[in-house]
Amino acid sequence: MEPQSSVLKKFSLHNRSIVITGAGRGLGLSFARALAELGANIIAIDVHDKPDEEFHDLLSYGVKTVYYKCDVRDPATLKATIGEAANKFGSINGCIAAAAIMTDKPFMEHTVDDMNASFAVNVNGMLSTVQICAEHMIKQKSGGTVICISSTAGHKAVFPQTATAYVCSKHAVLGLVRQAAAELAQHNIRVNSISPGPFLTKMLRSVIAGDPALEEYFSEGNAMKRLAVPEELDGAVGYLMSDASSFVTGNNFNIDGGSGCH
């Protein structure tokens, strides 16, 4: 006889509706694909007019999807957008806050405006996303799961890259996650973060194109001596978003090829 609750069933996201910011392309779109494969309905939010073509492939998993153009720096519009999605899909069961920007500028040239611009998206936009989604989960009395995307830049400098504002903002993400996890646990809402290392997204490819020496730097900066592909985050995202991680909150997962070994 088959067990009533197998390990595989714990990873199922069937009929759960997940908000993902920054989901129009890059890692956010990769997260959407992974969760759709596990049965989740996808509410994708990004600042671009339309997502990459690969977004439409999500329908092949038999889930519901919707894409909204919305800037996470605008809390009122973000709240209205997520509210519309909740009405459309019936609930909000989780979110991945992945929207982020990076300013590439030497430390001595960084300005307060540069810092404010990065924090507006990478921290304040994340705060709004988590608060709005949590508000729906609390109202539903359903609990839920939140994943915030930090970076290895949230744990160390990224020299020879020059990205002071980005580094500071990703450090701040880790603090946001710990505090949110502590306060939202009473509502059965779990909050964790993932800190990816160098993943070959379109953004990183463009960075390397501007400075080819960075490819060797990124590869040599981890124990596995290579760059990663977005699909290598699927397992962590699926685990943290599902019941398989039901006793995990306030934690950060480094997915970095062992950069901490160096």
Side-chain angles (χ1 to χ4, degrees):
M1 181 182 295
E2 183 182 356
Q4 288 187 346
S5 181
S6 69
V7 173
L8 286 177
K9 286 181 179 178
K10 292 180 181 179
F11 285 89
S12 173
L13 297 174
H14 184 64
N15 284 336
R16 299 189 192 182
S17 298
I18 312 297
V19 171
I20 307 175
T21 63
R25 58 197 63 192
L27 291 183
L29 179 53
S30 182
F31 301 151
R33 179 199 50 74
L35 298 185
E37 188 172 344
L38 291 172
N41 300 318
I42 303 299
I43 300 158
I45 295 174
D46 210 319
V47 71
H48 305 290
D49 288 331
K50 58 183 181 179
D52 283 358
E53 281 300 314
E54 290 87 348
F55 178 80
H56 303 292
D57 296 339
L58 302 184
L59 294 173
S60 67
Y61 296 106
V63 301
K64 294 184 287 187
T65 67
V66 64
Y67 178 83
Y68 293 103
K69 178 185 177 182
C70 181
D71 192 329
V72 297
R73 294 173 296 184
D74 182 350
T77 302
L78 185 62
K79 184 171 184 175
T81 299
I82 294 174
E84 180 180 328
N87 290 332
K88 183 181 181 72
F89 286 178
S91 64
I92 301 294
N93 307 109
C95 82
I96 301 181
I101 62 170
M102 176 187 285
T103 299
D104 190 356
K105 184 186 291 187
F107 174 79
M108 293 302 292
E109 297 176 18
H110 254 72
T111 66
V112 170
D113 286 343
D114 292 326
M115 294 291 281
N116 288 340
S118 286
F119 270 70
V121 176
N122 302 358
V123 182
N124 299 345
M126 181 174 289
L127 173 68
S128 296
T129 301
V130 175
Q131 285 179 329
I132 294 165
C133 289
E135 183 178 10
H136 284 278
M137 296 172 195
I138 293 168
K139 190 179 301 182
Q140 295 160 187
K141 299 182 179 180
S142 62
T145 308
V146 174
I147 302 174
C148 296
I149 304 304
S150 183
S151 166
T152 51
H155 305 263
K156 61 181 183 179
V158 294
F159 185 79
Q161 275 188 292
T162 53
T164 298
Y166 181 79
V167 169
C168 291
S169 70
K170 290 303 185 179
H171 275 71
V173 168
L174 301 179
L176 186 156
V177 165
R178 293 186 186 103
Q179 190 64 31
E183 295 191 30
L184 295 177
Q186 63 182 309
H187 301 292
N188 196 27
I189 298 172
R190 298 186 294 106
V191 186
N192 294 287
S193 60
I194 293 176
S195 292
F199 278 74
L200 275 172
T201 60
K202 288 182 180 178
M203 183 172 73
L204 183 59
R205 290 181 192 277
S206 67
V207 169
I208 290 173
D211 185 356
L214 285 175
E215 182 169 7
E216 182 178 359
Y217 163 75
F218 287 135
S219 298
E220 290 299 316
N222 65 73
M224 299 182 77
K225 304 299 183 185
R226 66 175 177 85
L227 303 181
V229 295
E231 290 76 15
E232 290 179 282
L233 287 167
D234 290 358
V237 169
Y239 170 70
L240 289 176
M241 189 56 66
S242 72
D243 293 341
S245 59
S246 58
F247 199 53
V248 179
T249 195
N251 283 286
N252 175 74
F253 286 65
N254 290 323
I255 314 293
D256 59 7
S259 67
C261 302
H262 289 249

